[in-house]
Amino acid sequence: MAPKVQASKEAKALAASNSSKGKKKKWSKGKMKEKVNNQVLFDQSNYDKMKSEVPKYKMITPSILADRLRINGSLARAAIKELLNEGVIRIVAKHSKQEIYTRATNTEA
């Protein structure tokens, strides 16, 4: 059996980089959630919408207000506090993590 010819280091490196094992795995970037651009202050039209429509919602939470009115969470909490002081909504459950309100009706539960 004839002795094998030794390949140079450059030839070995080139062969390794061209082989299927030498290729690096390409990772997908993953699905990026699009960033919502919520308002941090009320404009007049949004404030009027909050005053008229929110008291008609069956369930009112800061996250529901933030989603429907496109406002941030702290502004939604402030809006709920204002509506609560006016008496147009009432509290159902208050917890350190979640506050749930509903429209004010004549029957007190």
Side-chain angles (χ1 to χ4, degrees):
M1 207 159 116
K4 289 190 174 180
V5 178
Q6 188 70 23
S8 67
K9 286 186 180 181
E10 293 84 18
K12 285 183 181 178
L14 183 66
S17 65
N18 289 339
S19 71
S20 62
K21 289 182 181 177
K23 289 183 183 172
K24 288 191 88 161
K25 178 163 171 48
K26 293 204 168 35
W27 292 93
S28 65
K29 297 285 189 243
K31 291 181 181 168
M32 292 293 290
K33 184 180 175 188
E34 67 181 57
K35 183 145 172 59
V36 290
N37 195 11
N38 289 343
Q39 294 180 339
V40 293
L41 291 173
F42 276 120
D43 54 0
Q44 192 59 47
S45 63
N46 220 2
Y47 184 76
D48 295 338
K49 184 178 177 184
M50 184 268 297
K51 287 289 216 176
S52 62
E53 291 183 13
V54 173
K56 296 174 187 159
Y57 293 167
K58 195 163 201 153
M59 185 170 83
I60 304 163
T61 64
S63 54
I64 288 174
L65 288 191
D67 185 46
R68 292 187 187 170
L69 299 178
R70 296 279 174 242
I71 57 178
N72 72 351
S74 58
L75 189 58
R77 288 193 304 271
I80 285 176
K81 198 177 292 185
E82 184 176 323
L83 292 171
L84 193 63
N85 289 338
E86 291 175 7
V88 292
I89 63 173
R90 66 182 172 89
I91 195 159
V92 174
K94 185 168 171 75
H95 190 265
S96 63
K97 303 278 188 277
Q98 183 74 40
E99 304 165 359
I100 302 172
Y101 301 87
T102 189
R103 56 186 174 223
T105 55
N106 293 336
T107 57
E108 290 298 319

